[in-house]
Amino acid sequence: MGVMSLVRSAISASHFQIEQTAFSKAMMDGGMNPLDYSRGLVQLWHIHFALERSAPKRPEIASYFTTEMIRTTTIQRDLHAFGYDKNHFAPLDETNIIVEQIQAWERNAPYALLGCIYILEGSRMGSLVIAKPLGRSLGLPPGTTSGLEYHTEGALATPLRLRSFKESVDNAGFDAQIESELIEGAVNFMELLNNLYSAIPVSANSSPKATLNEPITHPLKSA
């Protein structure tokens, strides 16, 4: 069994749990509104930004991190579509923990970052299913991609891109220690994401937009 199959098995329980969080369910079941969704997007921006800074710094894994995996500019476009930007909401404590962990892995366990890449790229397979119901929930016109690019960008190439990444890692000839580092990184990253998704607040009803004049921490006090 290749290391990527081992990773998939190791994160399966956390993967199921994250799908049961209120934030995940709201995206699929019609309970999402632009404010809550944008607040969640900002958390993802910080995570992607940390990975985009860390992965290229380590030559051991830099070649696995391609330009198609850069998502921060896409998230910014989606936020702008709803009238927000990355500075509008403060990062949650759970987000800061993930960012700090990515930075620690960059310094001490770089192959753990491959686990992060796999999970974030793998989530784009789920995006193929999420985009349409999320668009309806957010009140976007059918067929629009504005505000949904995090889920729709590069969608046609997603299966091939993920398969290519997994094959590259499986064929890299990593020793047992590196494989263990990669698997442990993926497991820990998935658990931290689960903690984050559990903490992102979701309103019972659609909320009005916050304004840029409000304190940056105000929308998060309901967490």
Side-chain angles (χ1 to χ4, degrees):
M1 181 181 294
V3 65
M4 297 313 301
S5 293
L6 294 174
V7 169
R8 182 176 181 178
S9 177
I11 66 172
S12 60
S14 292
H15 184 268
F16 174 79
Q17 290 170 357
I18 204 170
E19 291 178 341
Q20 309 312 306
T21 61
F23 187 77
S24 291
K25 287 187 173 181
M27 286 193 287
M28 289 295 295
D29 299 339
M32 189 60 72
N33 62 63
L35 185 147
D36 290 343
Y37 182 60
S38 296
R39 178 169 42 216
L41 277 179
V42 168
Q43 311 311 311
L44 293 173
W45 184 91
H46 286 286
I47 293 167
H48 280 283
F49 184 70
L51 185 60
E52 289 167 18
R53 287 177 62 111
S54 292
K57 292 180 181 179
R58 296 305 305 245
E60 306 95 321
I61 67 164
S63 63
Y64 296 95
F65 190 78
T66 64
T67 56
E68 293 85 2
M69 298 174 183
I70 296 174
R71 312 302 310 284
T72 47
T73 53
T74 305
I75 293 173
Q76 279 279 59
R77 288 197 301 272
D78 283 349
L79 287 167
H80 291 162
F82 297 116
Y84 299 101
D85 64 40
K86 64 181 176 61
N87 298 313
H88 200 106
F89 305 98
L92 294 169
D93 290 343
E94 290 80 3
T95 302
N96 288 329
I97 290 171
I98 296 174
V99 169
E100 291 169 2
Q101 181 62 80
I102 289 173
Q103 293 168 344
W105 281 330
E106 176 203 324
R107 295 189 298 270
N108 306 315
Y111 290 99
L113 298 179
L114 289 179
C116 302
I117 294 171
Y118 169 66
I119 288 171
L120 291 176
E121 283 297 294
S123 73
R124 298 174 77 168
M125 293 295 291
S127 287
L128 301 177
V129 178
I130 289 171
K132 286 186 178 180
L134 176 60
R136 289 194 296 268
S137 183
L138 294 171
L140 300 176
T144 187
T145 59
S146 179
L148 297 174
E149 288 189 62
Y150 184 71
H151 299 286
T152 61
E153 186 179 57
L156 292 177
T158 291
L160 178 59
R161 185 176 56 250
L162 181 60
R163 184 166 65 250
S164 177
F165 171 79
K166 291 192 295 184
E167 289 175 351
S168 295
V169 173
D170 278 335
N171 295 328
F174 293 143
D175 61 28
Q177 182 177 349
I178 290 176
E179 289 189 353
S180 177
E181 186 175 296
L182 194 166
I183 295 168
E184 184 176 351
V187 169
N188 290 342
F189 185 62
M190 195 69 174
E191 290 174 350
L192 292 173
L193 283 178
N194 190 27
N195 292 341
L196 170 60
Y197 271 57
S198 298
I200 299 174
V202 178
S203 307
N205 297 301
S206 184
S207 304
K209 281 187 180 180
T211 69
L212 290 175
N213 294 324
E214 289 180 323
I216 190 169
T217 56
H218 174 71
L220 303 180
K221 289 182 180 179
S222 61

